[in-house]
Amino acid sequence: MLVCASCKTAFPVDRPRWRCECGSYLVLSASGMFSPGDLAGRPASLWRYREALGIEDSTPAVTLGEGFTPLADATLDGFPLKLKLDFLCPTGSYKDRGSAVMITRFKSWGVSEILEDSSGNAGASIAAYAALAGIRANIYIPQSASAGKAAQISMYGARLVKVPGTRADTARAAWNAASDIFYASHNWSPYFLAGMKTAAYEIAEQSAWNTPDWVVVPVGGGGLLAGLYLGFSDLLKAGIIRSMPRLAAVQSANCDPVYRAWLQGLSDVPGAEPKPTAAEGIAVAQPVRGKAILEAIRGSNGVVRTVADDLIWDSVEALGRQGVYVEPTAAVAPSALAAMRKEGLIAAADRVVVILTGSGLKATDKVVEHYAAQEPAMAGSGAPMHRV
Ligand SMILES: *Cc1c(COP(=O)(O)O)cnc(C)c1O
Ligand SMILES: [Zn+2]
């Protein structure tokens, strides 16, 4: 069943619905659970955890082999840690976890056309899976979104609508069109969230079910964070793991509504006034699932931290020097980790996983601009020059 998070009205799972009549978001009531002994020989994708996805066995998956990304050993700021390379998903961001499951459900519902608003990555991801499923996609993104993401959306054959203004203006424009076309927002769909749980299952399985002490993630709409918490909770309930990792949620200092709500001890997230930030993928002024986000943080004994834009670029470069090329949004997590180590909050011996959410290749225009700003003489050539 699909159950309203607010008034608890239940809806059947066999027909299209994106929210409750009361305006609140829907959650999937109890899904199944896999058992670790059954996983050997299953596909190296998130579909190895199919029992937990809320998609019956008889429904064919719309899949590009997403998930089961490497959990790589690395060293940052002199400390060992593990990097979950989720930017290696088929469209270059972790959003494919959610899109694959959500579009699989839409196809089984017979949905023929969808509408989505996004900062870019979710739009690109949903456009790809919609193409695969034969569903027409209309994707709204901010005019300022990275060129790579916009190009991707067009390449997948979706109708791309660029909206001037903030991320919230983009959401409003999409809403106004949603009276005619099915609204496929990743920020609302319980199936998108079910896909996010698989990041937790993978981290646990790849750690031989011995969970890390900390998982550090960027937070915008909170899908990844809320999904991780649900996923680790499933594993705890089933007795597959023994402890819940502490979840560290990281936001841009220029758009930090979750941080403010957490500091003030609130149970939901009121909006915040956003300023422009290099972390475009998490510039969400008012997340839909505020309650679930705060529950995930408090329920895991987690924390929220913010990162300023100049430090984000430092982290992009530090990762680059480790052979890992991510977009600025993805770099907020390692950036906050460095600060949490300095605070003494994370001990040297703590086992830490950082999820790297988006590929640097998507933000090539922003990276070129960044280099150009550092070397004014080179501006316009487009070529980053570094003296050696
Ligand atoms: C969407 C996105 C995020 C934030 O994800 P939420 O699940 O909305 O909190 C983080 N990093 C990148 C690269 C993204 O595209
Ligand atoms: Zn309701």
Side-chain angles (χ1 to χ4, degrees):
M1 298 293 251
L2 296 169
V3 181
C4 173
S6 173
C7 74
K8 309 298 173 197
T9 305
F11 302 93
V13 293
D14 61 359
R15 67 201 80 136
R17 166 167 291 279
W18 67 272
R19 67 168 173 177
C20 182
E21 312 290 353
C22 81
S24 181
Y25 63 92
L26 302 171
V27 295
L28 260 179
S29 65
S31 40
M33 198 57 206
F34 56 87
S35 92
D38 296 338
L39 297 178
R42 291 200 183 177
S45 79
L46 58 79
W47 294 95
R48 65 200 278 104
Y49 310 116
R50 186 187 254 270
E51 292 92 335
L53 299 179
I55 303 283
E56 27 328 291
D57 276 350
S58 55
T59 299
V62 177
T63 177
L64 293 161
E66 55 290 329
F68 222 68
T69 55
L71 186 63
D73 285 306
T75 302
L76 270 184
D77 310 305
F79 295 100
L81 79 168
K82 293 203 184 263
L83 301 176
K84 182 74 171 149
L85 307 184
D86 253 26
F87 62 91
L88 296 179
C89 281
T91 76
S93 88
Y94 81 98
K95 295 263 180 4
D96 293 349
R97 294 184 184 279
S99 303
V101 177
M102 182 176 84
I103 298 289
T104 292
R105 177 45 87 220
F106 290 171
K107 190 173 183 191
S108 79
W109 279 344
V111 171
S112 61
E113 182 166 6
I114 56 174
L115 193 131
E116 149 81 354
D117 61 280
S118 153
S119 69
N121 280 335
S125 179
I126 287 171
Y129 287 85
L132 197 59
I135 294 172
R136 270 192 308 280
N138 301 267
I139 311 285
Y140 287 60
I141 63 171
Q143 185 95 56
S144 62
S146 286
K149 299 175 187 177
Q152 243 186 318
I153 291 167
S154 299
M155 188 57 71
Y156 295 133
R159 186 172 73 94
L160 176 66
V161 182
K162 290 186 183 176
V163 183
T166 64
R167 174 69 182 82
D169 294 326
T170 298
R172 254 187 305 276
W175 264 45
N176 291 340
S179 51
D180 308 321
I181 305 174
F182 186 70
Y183 188 47
S185 173
H186 66 286
N187 285 322
W188 287 82
S189 170
Y191 291 99
F192 198 90
L193 199 61
M196 290 296 141
K197 296 195 299 182
T198 61
Y201 303 154
E202 285 175 27
I203 289 170
E205 186 182 0
Q206 292 169 322
S207 310
W209 310 109
N210 183 9
T211 43
D213 300 301
W214 289 92
V215 178
V216 187
V217 291
V219 169
L224 179 57
L225 179 83
L228 282 169
Y229 184 64
L230 285 180
F232 284 122
S233 299
D234 287 348
L235 296 172
L236 266 180
K237 247 179 268 158
I240 298 172
I241 60 171
R242 278 191 308 259
S243 63
M244 167 73 68
R246 297 180 72 178
L247 301 177
V250 188
Q251 297 215 285
S252 161
N254 285 358
C255 186
D256 60 354
V258 173
Y259 179 64
R260 286 160 194 248
W262 176 72
L263 274 188
Q264 293 168 30
L266 306 181
S267 62
D268 204 344
V269 179
E273 198 56 50
K275 292 184 227 91
T277 169
E280 63 183 9
I282 51 172
V284 178
Q286 172 130 46
V288 173
R289 294 189 183 99
K291 279 192 193 123
I293 292 173
L294 292 166
E295 255 171 54
I297 296 159
R298 297 193 179 116
S300 69
N301 191 24
V303 298
V304 190
R305 290 292 182 270
T306 60
V307 177
D309 268 32
D310 51 339
L311 295 179
I312 297 176
W313 280 110
D314 288 350
S315 261
V316 172
E317 290 178 10
L319 286 164
R321 302 309 187 263
Q322 301 287 318
V324 175
Y325 185 38
V326 298
E327 63 173 297
T329 303
V332 299
S335 184
L337 171 61
M340 289 161 70
R341 292 213 195 262
K342 283 204 194 97
E343 277 176 52
L345 180 60
I346 297 188
D350 282 354
R351 296 163 59 235
V352 178
V353 170
V354 169
I355 303 188
L356 296 178
T357 47
S359 167
L361 295 172
K362 287 174 169 276
T364 301
D365 57 332
K366 302 285 154 97
V367 175
V368 170
E369 273 172 32
H370 173 70
Y371 277 124
Q374 287 180 329
E375 302 255 351
M378 294 306 299
S381 80
M385 288 281 283
H386 267 306
R387 271 173 230 105
V388 281

